[in-house]
Amino acid sequence: MSVTRLFAVALAVSLALAPLACAPSAAPPTPIDLLVTNARIVDGTGSAARDGAVAIAGGKVVEVLDAAAAATASSRATRVVDAKGRVVAPGFIDLHSHSDMPLVTDGNAHSKIRQGVTTEVIGESGSIAPQPSPTADQPWTDFAGYFGVLEKQGIAVNLLSYVGLGTVRELVVGGDNRPPTADELVKMQGIVSAAMQQGAAGVSTGLIYPPNAYANLDELVALSTPAAAVGGRYASHLRHDGKRLREGIEEAVAIGERAKLPVHVFHIKVTGQQNFGRMKEVVAIVEAARARGVRVTADIYPYVASSTSLTATLPQWVMDGGVDKLVERLSDRATRARVRRDMEDPNATWDNRYQSAGTWANVQLASIGRQRGLPSAADNPNAKYEGMRVADAAKAAGKDPFDFVFDLLRDTRASVGCVYFIMSEDDVKLAMRQPWVAVGSDGSALAIEGPLRAGVPHPRNFGTFPRVLGKYVREEKVITLEEAVRKMTSLAAAALNLPDRGSIAPGKWADLVIFDPATVADRATFEQPFQYPVGIDTVIVNGQVVLDEGTHTNARPGKVLRRLSAPTS
């Protein structure tokens, strides 16, 4: 071969190899912090379940893989969790929680984590902030201070809070049953604005509870407007859910329309045997509002019993002026007679929980002499009645039930919580089927031991989410598994404007729960509520394992989720 020919061949070879020599080397595979394999993925969107794996890095989902890809991805993973064919779903979002102070006491959030809850929403009517001055138990005055305490000590769950308009009213107007002055209204609006700037998700009301109950529609609209201006929402425990339930839901819708913000109804329900079957009226009102553009959502807990203060049986004038006035009135025999007459009036103008129950046998004493879910002093002579129905407790005390109730409220300064058996299963199921109804426990992050084990609270504190999955999905087939998970995850996330949570997809925060759909169930009962559920094995929050095959790891990777922009649901 000639020199010329050899040169030509060499040049051709060098040119052919040049692109390979100059090409950049392939990027190394992305490391995976945690890989969940052999999963039955229910992604939170309502889509059908599918088999696969979820890869997590930096606290977020980075890949959703099929089984074949998962096998090769294992070598990149620092830790592999084998789901063993169980369901992997987004972490559940509890749209209505009272863990404000329990999370300060114990940030591990046992009773919520063990239900698969990874995000809680607190602050109904009486929010943890603002308050006039710090105390030993609550060393903050505003949301910035409260959030700072939680972030310093760490919490296992993510957290959002409303600013409660009951708290705002009490700060400015006090406990009096009167309209605010013009100056007071402006001051209250300023408090709401400040809370929103510090990250509150919106404003909330509890309109059966004085002093919030003393606010009229105009006041509520005025105080919701600062929240609307920055993309917040209005959430409410309705003023009426019994005989006047239409007025209750229509008031909430009217606030949303006039203040121009989304509306969320806490624990949507119909109370009182005489009203059973009327959930269809509530549904019709909400559907009509949604059809004309009002963004209305709700949550529900899967029980026929509610829980609130024993003061909810009293006419609201008894609380006018605050607790001192209540004690004074209940110490006067003539006034007590008037109170009883009002309570027994079937045409009461307030949402009378005694009338809803129909009999003291349907009212169970849950906590006596305790505040915010925390134990009172050990020398509580009335604690022996916790867990008893009022009718039975009164008999044991040798008293008429009304006198027993009045004495108990007077002696504990109105610190008595109760469980009220006042709803029907059919109404609960109808509400649960609505596509705009999510899930909320209306409970707290408690524990089966330690300072957060106190009284005989409603079992919803321990069983809400597994009860939906066990009783209403698997056993009674009220809704499908995929729809139940959607209600607990993406529906709630959309309502709260949490675009990076509530479903399993790349870029979302890795809040995940692994459960066995064949065994998941609540174990807490009204008689024995301090029991964790079964069938929920592993819970991951922001990419960290908090519940590891049933064992709490003491990890506290939860975040305070300050308000973003306007909700989209």
Side-chain angles (χ1 to χ4, degrees):
M1 181 180 294
S2 67
V3 173
T4 302
R5 178 64 175 159
L6 287 172
F7 178 77
V9 171
L11 178 61
V13 170
S14 64
L15 290 173
L17 294 177
L20 297 177
C22 297
S25 58
T30 303
I32 297 171
D33 298 331
L34 184 66
L35 181 67
V36 181
T37 63
N38 297 321
R40 186 67 173 161
I41 299 173
V42 178
D43 67 9
T45 66
S47 299
R50 65 189 190 276
D51 294 334
V54 181
I56 299 166
K60 292 188 174 184
V61 175
V62 292
E63 298 176 75
V64 180
L65 309 164
D66 60 24
T72 59
S74 296
S75 62
R76 294 187 278 133
T78 301
R79 178 181 176 185
V80 175
V81 172
D82 186 354
K84 303 174 184 176
R86 294 168 293 185
V87 167
V88 175
F92 303 147
I93 298 174
D94 189 341
L95 277 173
H96 185 192
S97 175
H98 291 278
S99 295
D100 316 50
M101 279 303 294
L103 285 175
V104 175
T105 301
D106 183 359
N108 282 340
H110 277 279
S111 74
K112 294 301 184 70
I113 283 291
R114 293 172 185 275
Q115 292 183 63
V117 171
T118 57
T119 299
E120 295 199 75
V121 184
I122 61 172
E124 178 214 337
S125 179
S127 54
I128 198 68
Q131 60 178 9
S133 58
T135 66
D137 293 332
Q138 300 181 27
W140 58 80
T141 58
D142 58 10
F143 280 107
Y146 172 67
F147 292 157
V149 167
L150 294 183
E151 289 171 331
K152 182 178 180 180
Q153 71 171 42
I155 49 177
V157 292
N158 303 309
L159 185 81
L160 296 88
S161 183
Y162 293 107
V163 56
L165 295 186
T167 295
V168 174
R169 193 177 218 274
E170 189 168 14
L171 277 174
V172 178
V173 181
D176 297 343
N177 183 3
R178 64 171 178 82
T181 66
D183 287 345
E184 287 172 336
L185 187 61
V186 169
K187 186 174 181 180
M188 287 194 286
Q189 288 176 316
I191 292 172
V192 170
S193 293
M196 296 302 296
Q197 291 302 319
Q198 292 176 7
V203 294
S204 70
T205 57
L207 296 176
I208 70 168
Y209 305 118
N212 206 186
Y214 303 147
N216 63 21
L217 177 61
D218 289 340
E219 178 183 328
L220 297 173
V221 170
L223 295 181
S224 297
T225 301
V230 292
R233 66 206 302 254
Y234 172 79
S236 182
H237 177 142
L238 301 178
R239 197 183 301 271
H240 304 289
D241 52 35
K243 177 183 281 189
R244 300 170 64 184
L245 61 87
R246 294 184 66 89
E247 295 175 44
I249 191 70
E250 286 170 350
E251 180 182 43
V253 170
I255 291 167
E257 287 186 301
R258 288 179 53 183
K260 296 180 173 56
L261 77 175
V263 173
H264 183 77
V265 179
F266 290 133
H267 50 52
I268 196 166
K269 61 182 181 288
V270 173
T271 61
Q273 186 171 353
Q274 68 274 27
N275 299 305
F276 288 179
R278 295 184 64 193
M279 179 59 73
K280 58 182 178 292
E281 297 178 39
V282 176
V283 171
I285 293 169
V286 173
E287 293 283 9
R290 287 171 62 88
R292 62 179 185 266
V294 186
R295 289 172 289 175
V296 184
T297 54
D299 61 64
I300 191 172
Y301 46 73
Y303 298 91
V304 295
S306 68
S307 183
T308 192
S309 172
L310 185 56
T311 58
T313 63
L314 301 178
Q316 291 174 348
W317 60 262
V318 180
M319 288 288 287
D320 186 3
V323 174
D324 288 342
K325 285 293 186 181
L326 176 142
V327 171
E328 179 183 319
R329 290 172 181 130
L330 293 184
S331 300
D332 178 75
R333 186 145 299 275
T335 305
R336 283 163 71 130
R338 178 190 168 194
V339 174
R340 178 168 181 167
R341 285 195 302 271
D342 283 1
M343 292 170 67
E344 293 183 308
D345 180 0
N347 298 310
T349 57
W350 85 99
D351 223 42
N352 185 341
R353 279 292 178 258
Y354 172 69
Q355 290 291 329
S356 298
T359 168
W360 288 117
N362 286 336
V363 183
Q364 179 173 307
L365 295 164
S367 62
I368 300 174
R370 309 176 191 272
Q371 294 291 335
R372 296 183 183 273
L374 303 178
S376 62
D379 57 343
N380 182 353
N382 292 307
K384 62 179 177 289
Y385 299 120
E386 291 176 337
M388 297 177 68
R389 303 295 176 101
V390 169
D392 295 332
K395 184 176 181 180
K399 296 180 180 180
D400 170 85
F402 284 89
D403 283 331
F404 174 80
V405 165
F406 298 153
D407 288 347
L408 197 59
L409 288 170
R410 178 197 63 200
D411 296 344
T412 63
R413 293 183 57 80
S415 178
V416 183
C418 293
V419 173
Y420 296 86
F421 294 86
I422 54 176
M423 293 174 279
S424 80
E425 276 284 357
D426 287 344
D427 284 332
V428 169
K429 291 175 183 177
L430 179 58
M432 191 177 293
R433 291 188 185 102
Q434 305 312 307
W436 39 267
V437 174
V439 179
S441 70
D442 197 10
S444 301
L446 304 181
I448 63 172
E449 58 188 4
L452 293 177
R453 179 174 181 137
V456 186
H458 196 298
R460 65 194 183 190
N461 294 281
F462 291 85
T464 294
F465 291 82
R467 184 174 177 84
V468 171
L469 297 169
K471 175 179 172 64
Y472 291 96
V473 172
R474 183 180 64 245
E475 296 174 6
E476 301 191 12
K477 297 178 172 55
V478 175
I479 52 177
T480 65
L481 175 62
E482 288 84 357
E483 177 64 1
V485 171
R486 185 189 73 85
K487 287 175 174 292
M488 297 174 179
T489 58
S490 68
L491 174 59
L496 294 166
N497 191 37
L498 298 176
D500 52 1
R501 298 182 192 269
S503 61
I504 299 176
K508 304 279 188 176
W509 285 99
D511 296 338
L512 303 175
V513 54
I514 302 175
F515 65 90
D516 183 350
T519 62
V520 61
D522 60 311
R523 286 290 178 261
T525 66
F526 289 102
E527 296 75 26
Q528 300 292 332
F530 287 97
Q531 300 184 71
Y532 294 132
V534 295
I536 296 177
D537 309 293
T538 299
V539 177
I540 298 165
V541 180
N542 297 317
Q544 294 189 43
V545 178
V546 176
L547 190 69
D548 193 349
E549 290 295 336
T551 299
H552 201 301
T553 65
N554 294 318
R556 296 184 176 186
K559 299 176 181 291
V560 174
L561 306 179
R562 292 167 175 82
R563 172 197 50 79
L564 298 176
S565 57
T568 57
S569 67

